[in-house]
Amino acid sequence: MRLAALLAGTLVLALSGEGGRDTSRCAVNIEYSYYAVSGSTLGEIKRSIRANGPVDPDGKRRYARTDWKIKWSWDRSAAGSIDPGSVHVTCKARVTLPYHERLDALSPEERARWNEYLAILEKHEMNHVLHVEAVAPKISHRIAERQSRAGSVSAKTAQAIAKTVLKEIRQLDRAYDKNTRHGATEGV
């Protein structure tokens, strides 16, 4: 499980241009956290997941969860406006997934079903990470566009641009969860 998580995080970082300045993607620093589940069949495990899963902002238990944070900074010119070339955006995500406390207690068939289910669940959560990776760079792009149209960008305007992009990512996440019924249409 930890190896799969490490490989998934490495893949996202590799695809997002870590090591080079790829402004079309935001390299997401992914942290994984886990909560314990038990059961000897997939049905029992899902009951444990429903009882122990992370709680969303609406107070509902979920099978897994991805929380993200995007930070931005920039330098100012002598006149006090934003230097669009200096905009720096960092992206972090925490993905919370279940782990089975006693994999050795599962039959080979149930272990295979669990591993398949967990892979589907993790893929769903990684799609939330990909939303951040793909959309967060709009912060710097829109600030540069604004400067090109207006001649300069104030810090207040740049903050408003960044906050608008955050709203877009939240809307994308909500639409994705609504369309997939929080992953149910994907096999979660």
Side-chain angles (χ1 to χ4, degrees):
M1 168 58 107
R2 292 184 195 271
L3 178 59
L6 178 61
L7 291 174
T10 302
L11 177 62
V12 168
L13 292 174
L15 292 174
S16 63
E18 182 67 18
R21 184 139 165 86
D22 178 1
T23 60
S24 67
R25 310 301 276 175
C26 185
V28 180
N29 178 358
I30 304 170
E31 176 183 316
Y32 287 85
S33 63
Y34 300 93
Y35 66 95
V37 296
S38 60
S40 58
T41 66
L42 189 57
E44 290 175 2
I45 296 167
K46 283 186 174 183
R47 280 192 290 281
S48 181
I49 286 172
R50 283 190 290 275
N52 299 302
V55 177
D56 72 12
D58 296 327
K60 294 181 182 176
R61 287 221 178 257
R62 299 293 177 194
Y63 290 9
R65 184 171 164 82
T66 297
D67 296 294
W68 46 262
K69 186 169 185 87
I70 300 170
K71 292 184 179 182
W72 54 88
S73 63
W74 47 67
D75 296 331
R76 293 182 189 222
S77 69
S81 63
I82 300 304
D83 172 9
S86 73
V87 176
H88 181 69
V89 179
T90 58
C91 301
K92 294 181 179 183
R94 172 179 275 194
V95 178
T96 303
L97 296 166
Y99 79 91
H100 197 286
E101 293 179 305
R102 299 244 358 256
L103 280 176
D104 60 326
L106 298 178
S107 70
E109 296 81 18
E110 288 299 328
R111 186 178 306 188
R113 290 180 69 202
W114 165 247
N115 287 335
E116 180 182 340
Y117 174 79
L118 190 57
I120 292 168
L121 184 58
E122 186 170 8
K123 182 179 178 187
H124 176 85
E125 294 307 313
M126 290 308 295
N127 284 331
H128 287 291
V129 172
L130 291 174
H131 295 161
V132 172
E133 179 184 347
V135 180
K138 289 183 178 183
I139 294 170
S140 55
H141 297 159
R142 289 183 185 168
I143 290 171
E145 288 170 2
R146 178 63 180 252
Q147 189 220 18
S148 137
R149 282 193 322 269
S152 67
V153 179
S154 69
K156 182 178 180 179
T157 298
Q159 288 287 356
I161 289 169
K163 289 177 182 180
T164 298
V165 171
L166 296 186
K167 286 179 188 174
E168 290 172 15
I169 298 170
R170 281 188 212 100
Q171 289 170 344
L172 188 59
D173 278 346
R174 280 194 294 272
Y176 174 59
D177 279 336
K178 181 179 180 183
N179 291 337
T180 65
R181 292 189 346 257
H182 291 274
T185 63
E186 300 166 312
V188 172

